[in-house]
């Protein structure tokens, strides 16, 4: 199986992390959807954003093995941080600048992630699930209670970001929103890709695989987990900020439990541990939601539930896992004949 | 007496109790540099517990552990590993989905503080990768360097278990039954690797297999019911009638 | 003041009946069934249907809800849940969230999204005075029923042969199996009883908790808090945890309504930080 070109082991490791043709094709397809579906730009922007949220969960779940049910907390905190920046900074250019808004959204969410990361270090999967869920619920409660700041259950109105880089203002058709969301998502994704392909990324896999072994090697397991949890929270916050800026609205819905559950579903659906799983899952999930939502808007939840149940029972590794299994089967057939 | 080298690893009245059961009972023990020491004893004598205490996997109930004269009794597993104490596990603790090369790199990266590098892709430090490859070659694992660890034969997985410990360039290496469960055909490979371990590493070997113990160890301690029963050179232990009785006694029970 | 304490205790005991099945199954099989609340919802809605559409007496609804949810539980356990015991906690969580979503949508489809109201029989409505406090008769009824159930459960677990086998299986399933205990059978039975109790709790709660399709999600967090505080090795732990939670929640919402909603979450996070093994668990945490 070892290809001829990179004979040296280091070369082989480097060779494995290069950009593949199908990755380029994926991003090219993402960009060209602007021309193919000009009437669906807002929907597509939302897909990028959901995908980015799922990718951030993949960092903790797929690479570091931390189970979380509360990524919605960071998403929501980022969403409100960016929304408040844009609302109260309206007019005064530097404060309502969308990029600055994302920076603040990411920093605030990252700070919350750093503080709460210490809660997920101890205990089993079960305590982690409960702690992350508890944090998310507390954030949700704060958002709905602090009516003066967040607008309570009515949501945050009057979010108006300045033009991106002072040039492109957000338009009604979502053209600016599309490119803005695509580019930010790509940059964050590229960052995550570097991260998981680095020595740091490999050490996360070591922790996921066997924390005891990682410790006996001399790895500071807790420090690494705090780091990746904080990074993931930051990226979730950025994706939340993106959603607020592109939809010009923030609502408690953005911190609700179903956010976390949807994002987790998207990731598992696409396949966790591959980074692209989150993105592909987001495409399928959102398109399905749009499709079924048009037929029976109320009972969308039923189909989500059914997909989850079937996924757990029958499909390992989500869509990407299925594709890989297929490829394996074909290549084995090829060898056999 | 004065020429005796300073021990690399010492324990002082080390004790571990699980509820009412004392698994390690007042063990005072010292390991000179470059030692080839075996720890033997009948089933349930507390050998693995002792290794877990030394490596920090279990906290001691009382007593002290010194590594190079420093009291490490309350140190974490990680800090002891950084201070030069490595171990293998009786039951493989490997990463089934990674390759042997990646597995060794994880350990080397930690040793060289290269694991916090998050931007440069894995493999950009070719010196570390080459070192990992060389270590695998030394243990006859070079051909499987890129294979999935989970797909390796059991004996080769045992070798990898030792390779991980060696990758951190330890001063003290605790080998917990390196040959346990290895099929007859792959056994010699493991034994050869154990015999060829670097001379400057001080070794503690836990083993059931008396062939391996007598072929490899220069000094031996016998643990019975968690306590040190007798200590001595290989020949002394081989001749000691009490040791014989402990083992024969066990066999009689086993046969009876 | 005393009224609030009383209401809190009633609420807490109701929570205990709702949650106890989950605690035992979690301790027994290390299986996280987040969809436990769906069984409670089944019992609650059965009561709604029986009373409001068929005009059957409330008293008959209680055993019916128990049986209905128990049968539902055992069927789902044999058909679906047992495939998941050896899967990861993440899979179990996703699976049971999927079940919750399906149950919510199904109930929405069948009964509509608005909360269902159950009218109490005249014999249970009204208030009486106890120790100078006004106490709802229904709350008293809930306390009596749940109290009897708790005593009954404690008796079964502590004194019967089934109970000792159950305790052995919770302590160490492998050893119990080795001793010839039919752990799988015990589990199926426990799952059924636990689901049935949840259904009974749902029926008892129908008049006082709002019964709408989001019920399983809303109470999931309460169940998790009960487990995190009470642990899963005994039933006394969850019992005291439920009472504490009920009193804290009712009291908090009464005295400090602005932050009432935070209190229970804060308790949970605090417990998980300072006593990750739970407040009321045996000191030898496993």
């Amino acid at each position: 199986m070892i290809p001829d070109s990179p004979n040296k082991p280091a070369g082989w490791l480097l060779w494995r992390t290069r950009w593949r043709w199908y990755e380029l094709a994926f991003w090219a397809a993402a960009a060209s959807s602007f021309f193919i579906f000009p009437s669906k730009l807002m929907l597509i922007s939302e897909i990028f954003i959901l995908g980015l949220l799922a990718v951030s969960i993949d960092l903790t779940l797929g690479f570091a093995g931390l189970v979380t049910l509360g990524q919605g907390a960071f998403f929501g905190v980022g969403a409100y941080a960016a929304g408040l920046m844009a609302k109260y900074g309206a007019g005064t250019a530097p404060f309502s600048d969308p990029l600055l808004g994302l920076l603040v959204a990411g920093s605030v969410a990252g700070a919350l992630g750093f503080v709460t990361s210490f809660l997920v270090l101890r205990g089993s999967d079960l305590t982690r699930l409960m702690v992350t869920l508890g944090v998310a619920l507390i954030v949700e409660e704060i958002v709905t209670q602090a009516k003066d700041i967040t607008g309570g259950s009515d949501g945050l109105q009057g979010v108006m970001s300045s033009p991106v880089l002072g040039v492109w203002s957000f338009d009604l058709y979502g053209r600016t929103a599309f490119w803005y969301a695509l580019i930010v998502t790509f940059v964050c994704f590229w960052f995550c890709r570097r991260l998981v392909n680095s020595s740091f990324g490999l050490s996360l896999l070591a922790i996921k695989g066997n924390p005891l072994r990682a410790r006996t090697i001399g790895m500071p397991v807790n420090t690494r987990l705090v780091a990746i949890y904080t990074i993931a929270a930051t990226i979730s916050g950025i994706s939340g900020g993106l959603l607020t800026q592109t939809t010009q609205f923030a609502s408690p819905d953005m911190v609700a439990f179903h956010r976390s559950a949807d994002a987790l579903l998207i990731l598992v659906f696409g396949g966790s541990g591959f980074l692209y799983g989150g993105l592909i899952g987001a495409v399928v999930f959102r398109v399905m939601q749009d499709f079924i939502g048009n037929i029976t808007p109320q009972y969308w939840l039923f189909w989500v539930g059914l997909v989850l149940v079937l996924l757990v029972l029958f499909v390992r590794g989500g869509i990407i896992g299925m594709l890989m299994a297929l490829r394996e089967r074909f290549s084995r057939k090829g060898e056999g004949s | 007496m004065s020429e005796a080298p300073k021990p690399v690893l010492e324990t002082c009245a080390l004790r571990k109790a699980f509820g009412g059961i004392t698994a390690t009972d007042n063990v005072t023990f010292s390991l000179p540099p470059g030692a080839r020491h075996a720890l033997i004893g009948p089933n349930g004598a507390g050998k693995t517990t002792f290794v877990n205490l030394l490596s920090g996997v279990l906290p001691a109930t009382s007593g002290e552990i010194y590594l190079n004269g420093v009291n490490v009794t309350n140190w974490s597993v990680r800090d002891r590993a950084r201070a030069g104490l490595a171990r293998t596990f009786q039951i493989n603790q490997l990463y089934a989905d990674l390759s042997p090369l990646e597995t060794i790199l994880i350990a080397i990266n930690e040793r060289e503080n290269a694991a916090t590098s998050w931007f440069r892709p894995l493999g950009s430090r070719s010196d570390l990768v080459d070192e990992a490859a060389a270590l695998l070659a030394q243990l006859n694992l070079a051909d499987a360097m890129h294979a999935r660890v989970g797909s390796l034969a059991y004996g080769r997985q045992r070798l990898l278990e030792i390779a991980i410990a060696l990758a951190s360039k330890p001063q003290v290496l605790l080998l917990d039954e390196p040959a346990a469960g290895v099929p007859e055909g792959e056994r010699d490979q493991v034994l050869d690797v154990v015999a060829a371990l670097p001379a400057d590493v001080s070794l503690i070997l836990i083993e059931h297999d008396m062939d391996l113990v007598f072929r490899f160890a220069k000094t031996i301690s016998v643990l019975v019911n968690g306590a040190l029963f007798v200590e001595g050179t290989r020949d002394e232990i081989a001749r000691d009638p009490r040791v014989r009785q402990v083992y024969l006694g066990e066999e009689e029970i086993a046969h009876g | 003041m005393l009224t609030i304490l009383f209401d809190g205790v009633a609420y807490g005991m109701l929570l205990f009946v709702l949650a106890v099945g989950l605690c035992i199954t979690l301790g027994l099989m290390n299986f996280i069934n987040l969809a436990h609340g769906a069984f409670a919802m089944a019992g609650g809605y059965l009561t709604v249907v029986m009373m409001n559409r068929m005009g059957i007496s409330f008293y008959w609804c209680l055993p019916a809800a128990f049986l209905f949810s128990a049968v539902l539980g055992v069927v789902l356990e044999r058909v679906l849940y047992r495939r998941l015991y050896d899967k990861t906690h993440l899979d179990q969580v996703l699976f049971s969230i999927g079940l919750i979503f399906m149950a919510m949508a199904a109930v929405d489809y069948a009964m509509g999204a608005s909360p269902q109201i159950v009218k109490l029989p005249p014999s249970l409505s009204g208030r009486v005075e106890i120790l100078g406090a006004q106490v709802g008769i229904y709350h008293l009824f809930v306390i009596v029923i749940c109290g009897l159930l708790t005593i009954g459960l404690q008796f079964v677990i502590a004194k019967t042969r089934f109970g000792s086998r159950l305790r052995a299986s919770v302590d160490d399933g492998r050893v119990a199996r080795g001793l010839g205990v039919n752990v799988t059978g015990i589990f199926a039975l426990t799952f059924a009883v636990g689901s049935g109790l949840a259904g009974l709790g749902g029926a008892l709660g129908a008049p006082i908790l709002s019964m709408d399709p989001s019920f399983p999600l809303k109470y999931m967090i309460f169940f998790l808090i009960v487990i995190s505080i009470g642990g899963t090795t005994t039933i006394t732990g969850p019992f005291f945890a439920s009472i504490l939670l009920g009193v804290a929640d009712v009291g908090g919402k009464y005295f400090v309504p602005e932050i009432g909603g935070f209190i229970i979450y804060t308790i949970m996070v605090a417990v998980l930080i300072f006593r990750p093994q739970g407040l009321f668990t045996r000191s030898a945490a496993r």
Side-chain angles (χ1 to χ4, degrees):
Chain A
M1 283 305 281
I2 302 167
D4 318 323
S5 49
N7 282 326
K8 299 200 67 167
W12 156 252
L13 290 174
L14 286 173
W15 181 80
R16 272 197 339 185
T17 63
R18 84 210 186 286
W19 285 83
R20 313 290 178 105
W21 64 267
Y22 45 80
E23 292 183 86
L24 300 176
F26 178 89
W27 290 103
S32 61
S33 64
F34 181 81
F35 305 102
I36 304 171
F37 306 105
S39 63
K40 297 266 184 198
L41 296 184
M42 288 310 283
L43 177 73
I44 299 170
S45 312
E46 206 194 318
I47 291 178
F48 296 145
I49 293 165
L50 285 180
L52 185 59
L53 175 61
V55 168
S56 75
I57 299 181
D58 205 7
L59 289 183
T60 59
L61 176 68
F63 290 90
L66 282 178
V67 183
T68 129
L69 248 185
Q71 211 69 10
F74 308 122
F75 185 83
V77 165
Y80 274 92
L84 290 170
M85 284 289 286
K87 185 179 177 185
Y88 293 105
T92 40
F95 294 109
S96 60
D97 184 77
L99 290 178
L100 182 70
L102 286 190
L103 201 67
V104 172
S107 314
V108 174
L112 181 65
F114 176 74
V115 173
T116 53
S117 67
F118 295 94
L119 302 178
V120 300
L121 292 180
R122 281 192 304 188
S124 60
D125 285 354
L126 182 64
T127 41
R128 283 183 185 141
L129 286 168
M130 287 193 286
V131 167
T132 51
L133 183 64
V135 169
L137 289 168
I138 290 175
V139 169
E140 187 180 350
E141 195 69 26
I142 291 175
V143 165
T144 36
Q145 291 292 328
K147 290 196 182 66
D148 301 342
I149 307 169
T150 62
S153 50
D154 296 333
L156 192 64
Q157 312 278 351
V159 176
M160 285 294 286
S161 294
S162 311
V164 182
L165 299 175
V167 180
W168 296 283
S169 53
F170 289 101
D171 56 294
L172 271 177
Y173 309 101
R175 292 193 191 114
T176 307
F178 176 92
W179 291 112
Y180 180 59
L182 174 62
I183 291 170
V184 172
T185 301
F186 178 76
V187 169
C188 290
F189 181 86
W190 174 80
F191 171 86
C192 295
R193 196 179 178 282
R194 298 262 353 179
L195 192 74
V196 302
N197 282 330
S198 68
S199 303
F200 179 79
L202 182 63
S203 74
L204 294 182
L205 288 178
I207 294 170
K208 179 191 180 189
N210 189 334
L212 175 63
R213 167 49 94 186
R215 285 197 176 91
T216 48
I217 284 171
M219 196 180 289
V221 168
N222 288 355
T223 318
R224 297 278 154 80
L225 290 180
V226 167
I228 193 63
Y229 197 74
T230 306
I231 292 170
T234 307
I235 294 173
S236 303
I238 291 176
S239 65
L242 265 183
L243 187 61
T244 304
Q245 291 176 346
T246 54
T247 58
Q248 312 199 328
F249 182 61
S251 70
D253 181 56
M254 289 177 178
V255 282
F257 169 74
H258 81 86
R259 258 311 143 186
S260 309
D262 284 356
L264 197 58
L265 163 70
I266 286 173
L267 175 63
V268 174
F269 196 31
S272 79
F274 306 101
L275 281 193
Y276 279 95
L279 298 176
I280 293 173
V283 175
V284 178
F285 179 85
R286 204 58 189 76
V287 167
M288 215 170 85
Q289 189 180 32
D290 206 45
F291 181 71
I292 297 176
N294 278 336
I295 309 170
T296 55
Q298 256 181 302
Y299 311 120
W300 155 243
L301 214 49
F302 181 83
W303 301 105
V304 175
L306 187 65
V307 166
L308 268 176
V309 167
L310 295 179
L311 214 60
V312 171
L313 286 180
F314 300 111
V315 186
R316 301 267 61 208
I319 295 174
I320 294 192
M322 263 175 1
L323 291 177
M324 283 171 66
L326 274 181
R327 197 178 69 175
E328 192 125 300
R329 193 178 293 173
F330 274 113
S331 65
R332 212 172 274 158
K333 258 185 199 158
E335 277 163 28
S337 61
Chain B
M1 287 300 262
S2 58
E3 70 268 26
K6 252 184 89 193
V8 283
L9 183 72
E10 284 173 283
T11 69
C12 181
L14 196 62
R15 212 177 139 261
K16 176 71 188 176
F18 297 101
I21 301 156
T22 307
T24 300
D25 193 2
N26 242 344
V27 173
T28 299
F29 167 86
S30 82
L31 191 74
R36 291 288 180 270
H37 190 84
L39 200 59
I40 62 174
N43 275 328
K47 303 183 292 284
T48 294
T49 303
F50 187 61
V51 169
N52 283 338
L53 289 175
L54 292 179
S55 57
V57 173
L58 290 173
T61 308
S62 63
E64 282 113 44
I65 303 166
Y66 296 89
L67 191 59
N68 284 321
V70 182
N71 187 340
V72 299
T73 315
N74 296 318
W75 287 23
S76 66
V77 172
R78 191 243 163 181
D79 289 339
R80 295 187 206 195
R82 300 278 292 181
L85 184 83
R87 69 167 290 184
T88 67
F89 290 87
Q90 185 182 346
I91 297 159
N92 283 341
Q93 305 280 332
L94 298 171
Y95 301 114
D97 291 321
L98 300 181
S99 69
L101 183 66
E102 287 169 323
T103 308
I104 299 303
L105 261 181
I106 292 169
I108 292 181
N109 280 338
E110 288 306 328
R111 191 194 73 210
E112 295 293 320
N113 294 317
T116 47
S117 148
W118 59 268
F119 191 71
R120 295 173 57 177
L122 185 71
S124 49
R125 283 284 301 271
S126 60
D127 53 331
L128 301 185
V129 182
D130 290 344
E131 187 196 327
L135 179 61
L136 288 170
Q138 192 190 323
L139 271 67
N140 294 321
L141 286 166
D143 57 311
M145 192 187 293
H146 299 302
R148 208 177 145 264
V149 168
S151 71
L152 298 181
Y154 188 76
R156 308 198 86 187
Q157 294 193 14
R158 292 306 285 168
L159 289 179
L160 187 60
E161 182 81 33
I162 298 173
I164 296 174
L166 287 177
S168 59
K169 294 209 171 141
Q171 265 188 302
V172 180
L173 176 55
L174 314 174
L175 294 171
D176 195 352
E177 299 199 25
V182 178
E184 204 50 48
E186 299 168 51
R187 239 174 93 79
D188 280 344
Q189 273 191 20
V190 177
L191 299 192
D192 291 345
V193 163
V194 172
L197 286 171
D200 55 336
V201 179
S202 317
L203 282 174
I204 296 182
L205 172 80
I206 306 233
E207 196 46 79
H208 261 307
D209 183 324
M210 288 305 131
D211 280 352
L212 181 54
V213 167
F214 285 106
R215 177 169 148 191
F216 155 91
K218 297 203 176 71
T219 50
I220 296 176
S221 299
V222 184
L223 271 183
V224 176
N225 293 331
L228 267 185
F229 183 65
V230 48
E231 250 182 318
T233 65
R234 174 173 50 191
D235 299 336
E236 286 165 6
I237 297 295
R239 281 195 305 264
D240 195 314
R242 292 171 300 173
V243 176
R244 216 164 261 235
Q245 199 183 11
V246 167
Y247 273 86
L248 283 180
E250 191 195 30
E251 259 169 30
E252 269 164 21
I253 291 163
H255 288 293
Chain C
M1 178 65 211
L2 209 58
T3 313
I4 290 162
L5 187 68
F6 225 84
D7 287 1
V9 170
Y11 183 45
M13 290 185 105
L14 190 55
L15 274 180
F16 171 70
V17 171
L18 283 169
V20 66
L22 180 59
C23 298
I24 299 177
T25 48
L26 182 66
L28 196 56
M29 282 310 214
N30 199 19
F31 177 75
I32 312 179
N33 179 21
L34 292 184
H36 188 72
F39 295 103
M41 182 168 70
Y45 270 94
L46 185 78
T47 308
V48 169
V49 171
M50 282 175 69
M51 283 183 69
N52 294 359
R53 298 206 181 158
M54 304 178 190
I56 298 170
S57 154
F58 180 69
Y59 298 105
W60 284 111
C61 294
L62 299 179
F66 177 86
L67 278 179
F68 179 63
S69 294
V71 170
L72 197 65
V74 91
V75 169
L76 281 178
E77 200 274 330
R78 285 291 90 192
V79 177
L80 289 176
Y81 279 110
R82 80 190 158 82
R83 297 162 189 264
L84 287 154
Y85 295 148
D86 49 355
K87 298 217 173 180
T88 62
H89 277 161
L90 178 69
D91 277 345
Q92 299 173 353
V93 162
L94 290 170
F95 177 83
S96 46
I97 289 179
L99 282 188
I100 291 184
F101 283 176
M102 287 169 75
M104 283 168 66
V107 166
D108 190 351
Y109 176 75
M111 305 289 294
S114 52
Q116 300 287 330
I117 293 155
V118 169
K119 212 165 160 292
L120 285 172
S123 51
L124 288 177
S125 40
R127 294 181 162 263
V128 289
E129 201 176 291
I130 296 177
L131 302 170
Q134 290 287 317
V135 176
I137 293 182
Y138 189 67
H139 284 167
L140 211 57
F141 178 70
V142 167
I143 291 179
V144 170
I145 297 273
C146 297
L148 288 176
L149 280 173
T150 309
I151 294 168
L153 274 182
Q154 184 61 42
F155 174 79
V156 168
I157 289 175
K159 292 280 184 302
T160 62
R161 194 176 152 78
F162 175 78
S164 64
R165 293 184 161 197
L166 177 64
R167 274 181 289 132
S169 311
V170 172
D171 259 353
D172 195 328
R174 240 168 7 129
V175 170
R177 203 164 264 143
L179 292 172
V181 175
N182 179 1
V183 176
T184 322
I186 285 188
F187 187 72
L189 190 55
T190 313
F191 197 95
V193 173
S195 308
L197 284 174
L200 178 61
L204 274 175
I208 45 176
L209 313 172
S210 89
M211 203 33 85
D212 64 62
S214 69
F215 182 89
L217 212 52
K218 223 167 19 188
Y219 284 91
M220 179 178 87
I221 185 67
F222 282 90
F223 301 158
L224 290 177
I225 297 174
V226 168
I227 292 173
S228 59
I229 298 177
T232 58
T233 43
T234 58
I235 69 161
T236 41
F239 179 75
F240 288 117
S242 305
I243 302 284
L244 176 75
L245 192 62
V247 172
D249 195 39
V250 172
K253 282 187 173 140
Y254 183 80
F255 290 112
V256 274
E258 320 82 62
I259 60 157
F262 292 107
I263 290 183
I264 52 166
Y265 305 139
T266 316
I267 292 178
M268 172 176 114
V269 171
V271 166
L272 287 174
I273 296 171
F274 297 111
R275 284 285 313 258
Q277 71 277 37
L279 272 185
F280 299 111
T281 45
R282 278 177 285 172
S283 54
R286 289 182 303 139

